[in-house]
């Protein structure tokens, strides 16, 4: 903790711009980075990639035929894109089947709501279950209730997702989805319904994985659309008890095989060191996986390809990793870290694209304090694209968390999430929601960041391993 | 035709404002109309009505329990609202059950699309059908194809609905839905899929009735969402034949009983003459019937109630008619005309609210040319609310068509449809889509129009019966 404190003190100086930042790139490197940036802004390659993936494959939940088709698509896209060492690394993934999900208010007339099972939910049995609703605002509010009040009820988590640029509104709200089902089971509930974790007023339910606590009974859990939750609130306002029927036919099937797809732009004199650009290839089943995460896949591939075409070669190797099954358990990144345990110390920096198509509004990082000058250097090249300089306490994305925890420094171009959670994990995640201009800008920032990281003269410092905290 | 020509020539004068319009209301009447307008702009009564109908009843397709609950709701709302002669007039309605609708592209991986059966579609049988797609832009384009090319195919109608303020984009596009299925059957097709008749980029399919031609085989017909149609177009662009699977379990059940719900604000010295304000009470099953047509019901009731509270009494009787089953065959308005055949000559004017919550952007009409001064008079009171003066060739709404054809003059406050077809006939038709301020403005215009029509000194002229055209 003390070390972290010193790091942050130094960083505060760096981030606030006191003192001139030391240049960490040569004039030729800066010029090459600017050329990458400008080439990205003219390129439609990322758009072509996300269009192709969503059109020819579409939904690609782990373990499904779509998932397998996506792996084939990725291998083909990378091999035909001039990458070296294109390979698939097998990953065992869970296979969950959504089935049907019905949630309806019963009195006086049955009113069916737009409903989606949460990822991993167990089923109710074909007959479903009927119970009185208990409204709570949040997991914490549920835990504060007197014992017994939730027994035999369907718990309704009412919290709304706030619209924010940095995704923090989502991060606050999502606990109802991840922790809510087991928290409700712990107090005797028989089912869970949540207001969708999403910011849209469309009549569309947002799925996403729940996390069952192994010590609790697994109870079925679904999300309803925001307008349905609004109606539910208006009915609850009458003060009368509300009965509802819940029916879910979701189930688990045996595990399947999927793969991380990996490809490289080889480095020169430091080829053994890796700058990783990650994005997950899988998607939820309800949409076409355009913003989550076809856009991220496209950003990663297009940024690396641009670097591969630069006259100034990357000294470190740029490695694109398209992770398997991020959505339903982070299988691919877990497998990657296990496979690469010996080489993690040679992972100089990791970047991840998994928050839509952008634009990048801020450049954050989590690097050794003495490497902050690299972040500043990147920012000097991309600041004109509307990118502010962030801080050095970034968490990175879901798939790079396992790397960060083992000390791999993180560069984090933050993608603007203001409208991302309108469509995230919903049927509305389709190509028309991708803004081509934002996508180009995002590719520019990722390309510049990865390129300058691959040229960075110093040996990057490591993060403290988080297990020691 | 010659008569109509003379009428239009006179109207052109009137509408262009050449010559001072003759006042057709006294200063006291104008003042009372202005008070109605201003009271409407302060009132949340219409909002309370549409909120109540959508919250306590919700979907109310003809013949369903929701439809019966809506009739009860309407009787209660009108009786408690101070209306006289509140009554239900029985209407026999068809009962169609949506069942499930699935449409998926088959190769290389099955890609299910967001699909809704068109209202009245027959089913495919439980096993569904598989066929190659044939893309056509429109019904006219289909009819222009060489014989035989559609045989055994699923015809895909690709036409888009243009966003317009007056609903004309919808009117042009909707033929694919109404005429498309039988046009396709006539050339040997086995099924029909249309791009949703709607302007939203949400992944939501828009339903609405088809009209089978009695001389053709009934084939199943569905709509897919706009983003799905976009994806379909991108796949068709590859030039490869596309196979699809269509499965629809829709079916007809025996007819049910519903009702027109009627209530009045009695007139004084001309109480035997009627100014009718109509709105249909039923809705499609997918949404909550907020814009279509809870808003119209609320406008009709709230406008009439305001008139009932005016110190200056309406000379003619204001009659609110909440029609049964507009959506699936205009049962209620057909029944109303049959019931009222003897009294149609005493229907002085008819208004209808069935294009969402507004605001009213234009005041049109279809009245005897010498009564255009009334329209001008109304416009002088509401023009300041952003209402332009329209023309005298209005068609009125669906439910008042039968009245118009039999000579009843039409006053038509035109509700702004710019965003209406984003949600029309879809799951997205929920209360949050109703703009409370627009709703107040609409009530103001309907109240002023109906009030001044009920005070109009002259005996209104009749329209030429359209059967004679």
């Amino acid at each position: 903790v003390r070390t972290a404190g010193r790091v942050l003190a130094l960083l505060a100086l760096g981030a606030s711009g006191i003192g001139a930042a030391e240049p960490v790139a040569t004039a030729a490197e800066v010029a090459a980075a600017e050329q990458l940036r400008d080439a990205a802004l003219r390129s439609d390659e990322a758009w072509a990639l996300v269009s192709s993936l969503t059109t020819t494959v579409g939904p690609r939940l782990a373990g499904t035929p779509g998932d397998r088709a996506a792996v084939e698509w990725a291998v083909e896209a990378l091999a035909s894109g001039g990458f070296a060492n294109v390979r698939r690394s097998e990953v065992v993934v869970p296979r969950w089947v959504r089935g049907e999900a019905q949630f309806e208010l019963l009195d006086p007339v049955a009113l069916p709501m737009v409903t989606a099972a949460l990822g991993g939910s167990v089923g109710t049995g074909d007959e479903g279950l009927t119970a009185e609703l208990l409204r709570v605002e949040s997991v914490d509010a549920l835990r504060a209730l007197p014992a017994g009040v939730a027994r035999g009820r369907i718990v309704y988590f009412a919290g709304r997702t706030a619209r924010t640029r940095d995704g923090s509104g989502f991060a606050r709200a999502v606990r109802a989805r991840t922790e809510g089902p087991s928290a409700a089971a712990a107090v005797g509930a028989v089912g869970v319904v949540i207001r969708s974790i999403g910011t849209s007023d469309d009549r569309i339910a947002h799925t996403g994985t729940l996390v069952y606590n192994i010590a609790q009974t697994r109870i079925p859990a679904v999300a309803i659309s925001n307008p349905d939750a609004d109606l539910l609130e208006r009915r609850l306002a009458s003060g009368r008890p509300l009965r509802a029927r819940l029916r879910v036919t979701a189930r688990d099937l045996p595990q399947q095989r999927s793969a991380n797809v990996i490809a490289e732009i080889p480095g020169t004199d430091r080829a053994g060191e890796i700058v990783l650009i990650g994005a997950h290839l899988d998607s939820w089943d309800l949409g076409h996986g355009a913003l989550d995460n076809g856009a991220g896949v496209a950003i990663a591939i297009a940024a690396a390809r641009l670097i591969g075409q630069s006259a100034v070669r990357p000294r470190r190797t740029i490695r694109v990793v398209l992770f398997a099954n991020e959505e339903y358990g982070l299988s691919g990144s877990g497998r990657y870290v296990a496979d690469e345990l010996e080489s993690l110390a040679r992972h100089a920096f990791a970047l991840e694209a998994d928050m839509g198509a952008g634009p990048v509004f801020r450049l954050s990082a989590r690097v050794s304090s003495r490497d902050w000058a690299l972040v500043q250097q990147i920012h000097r090249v991309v600041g004109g694209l509307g990118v502010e300089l962030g801080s050095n306490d970034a968490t990175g994305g879901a798939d790079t968390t396992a790397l960060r925890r083992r000390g791999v420094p993180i560069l984090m171009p933050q993608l603007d999430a203001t409208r991302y959670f309108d469509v995230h994990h919903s049927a509305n995640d389709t190509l028309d929601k991708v803004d081509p201009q934002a996508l180009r800008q995002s590719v520019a920032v990722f390309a510049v960041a990865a390129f300058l990281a691959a040229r960075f003269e110093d040996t990057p410092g490591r993060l403290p391993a988080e297990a020691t905290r």
Side-chain angles (χ1 to χ4, degrees), chain A:
Chain A
V1 172
R2 237 177 304 154
T3 306
R6 279 208 302 275
V7 169
L8 287 174
L10 285 165
L11 293 173
L13 282 174
S16 65
I18 295 171
E22 224 174 316
V24 296
T26 65
E29 287 170 340
V30 170
E34 290 170 348
Q35 281 174 15
L36 280 176
R37 176 194 67 198
D38 297 343
L41 295 176
R42 289 189 304 268
S43 171
D44 280 327
E45 178 170 359
W47 174 264
L49 287 163
V50 65
S51 176
S52 170
L53 177 56
T54 54
T55 301
T56 64
V57 177
R60 45 197 184 277
L61 179 62
T64 63
D67 184 34
R68 287 186 284 277
V71 169
E72 295 307 309
W73 176 92
V75 169
E76 165 64 21
L78 292 162
S80 68
F83 285 85
N85 305 323
V86 177
R87 59 195 186 273
R88 64 195 85 192
S89 171
E90 190 176 288
V91 179
V92 173
V93 296
R95 171 78 176 100
W96 175 76
V97 177
R98 174 172 302 285
E100 296 164 30
Q102 288 152 355
F103 177 78
E104 56 184 15
L105 302 185
L106 288 179
D107 311 300
V109 174
L111 187 86
M113 296 196 155
V114 171
T115 308
L118 299 186
S121 175
V122 296
T124 55
D126 197 52
E127 68 289 355
L129 60 88
T130 297
E132 199 177 302
L133 289 182
L134 173 68
R135 179 195 187 281
V136 297
E137 190 67 25
S138 65
V139 171
D140 291 337
L142 175 69
R143 289 182 174 142
L145 287 179
V149 301
R151 187 159 307 279
R153 304 287 192 91
I154 296 171
V155 171
Y156 162 57
F157 288 98
R160 286 177 186 272
T161 305
R163 187 182 297 280
T164 58
R165 195 171 60 161
D166 65 358
S168 57
F170 169 80
R172 284 191 297 275
V174 75
R175 285 182 57 209
R177 191 230 293 154
T178 53
E179 301 174 36
S182 284
V187 290
V190 296
V192 161
V193 56
I194 68 171
R195 179 187 278 274
S196 276
I197 308 301
T199 46
S200 168
D201 67 354
D202 288 316
R203 194 112 174 279
I204 274 182
H206 298 248
T207 190
T209 193
L210 53 72
V211 181
Y212 283 130
N213 179 332
I214 199 165
Q216 301 298 342
T217 304
R218 297 181 169 207
I219 61 174
V222 300
I224 55 174
S225 79
N226 273 314
D228 284 288
D230 294 343
L231 188 148
L232 185 49
E233 295 284 349
R234 294 197 302 273
R235 285 218 179 167
L236 285 163
S238 75
R240 279 194 299 271
L242 288 188
R243 286 191 319 138
R245 179 167 171 272
L246 176 65
R247 178 174 173 272
V248 181
T249 66
R251 65 192 195 282
D252 288 303
L253 293 183
Q255 289 176 314
Q256 301 285 321
R257 294 180 196 284
S258 184
N260 291 331
V261 181
I262 304 173
E264 293 173 348
I265 304 294
T268 54
D269 61 310
R270 292 186 168 185
E273 297 177 33
I274 292 158
V275 174
L276 183 149
I277 312 179
H280 69 83
L281 185 56
D282 63 308
S283 80
W284 278 108
D285 50 343
L286 296 175
H288 295 166
L291 283 178
D292 187 14
N293 188 25
V297 167
I299 291 167
I301 297 177
R305 273 205 74 190
L306 278 171
I307 296 172
Q309 291 156 5
S310 172
V312 179
R313 307 303 302 165
R315 300 176 62 189
R316 297 184 178 86
T317 293
I318 306 287
R319 180 181 286 177
V320 171
V321 183
L322 305 181
F323 291 104
N325 188 36
E326 185 267 349
E327 296 293 3
Y328 187 44
L330 296 165
S331 310
S333 56
R335 181 76 236 173
Y336 181 83
V337 168
D339 286 346
E340 300 281 333
L341 219 45
E342 300 303 309
S343 70
L344 283 187
R346 292 186 285 107
H347 281 64
F349 297 99
L351 297 83
E352 180 174 348
D354 184 18
M355 194 73 93
V360 176
F361 71 97
R362 182 188 293 154
L363 179 67
S364 297
R366 195 180 195 96
V367 296
S368 166
S369 59
R370 61 183 172 77
D371 298 337
W372 182 252
L374 169 64
V375 181
Q376 292 174 306
Q377 178 64 66
I378 297 166
H379 184 255
R380 283 196 292 277
V381 178
V382 300
L385 304 183
V387 181
E388 62 189 52
L389 184 60
S391 59
N392 200 27
D393 57 358
T395 54
D399 278 322
T400 44
T401 295
L403 293 167
R404 188 197 78 216
R405 288 190 174 149
R406 286 165 181 80
V408 178
I410 299 291
L411 297 174
M412 188 177 180
Q414 288 185 253
L415 297 156
D416 190 326
T418 306
R419 298 194 59 80
Y420 181 63
F421 293 103
D422 286 351
V423 308
H424 177 253
H425 292 189
S426 85
N428 261 340
D429 187 2
T430 50
L431 182 63
D432 53 298
K433 311 308 185 303
V434 176
D435 176 346
Q437 186 54 33
L439 190 64
R440 288 187 202 102
Q441 187 262 20
S442 299
V443 173
V445 177
F446 273 79
V448 167
F451 173 75
L452 289 174
R455 295 288 308 186
F456 186 48
E457 177 66 41
D458 295 341
T459 298
R462 306 297 291 178
L463 300 179
E466 293 181 30
T468 64
R469 283 186 168 184

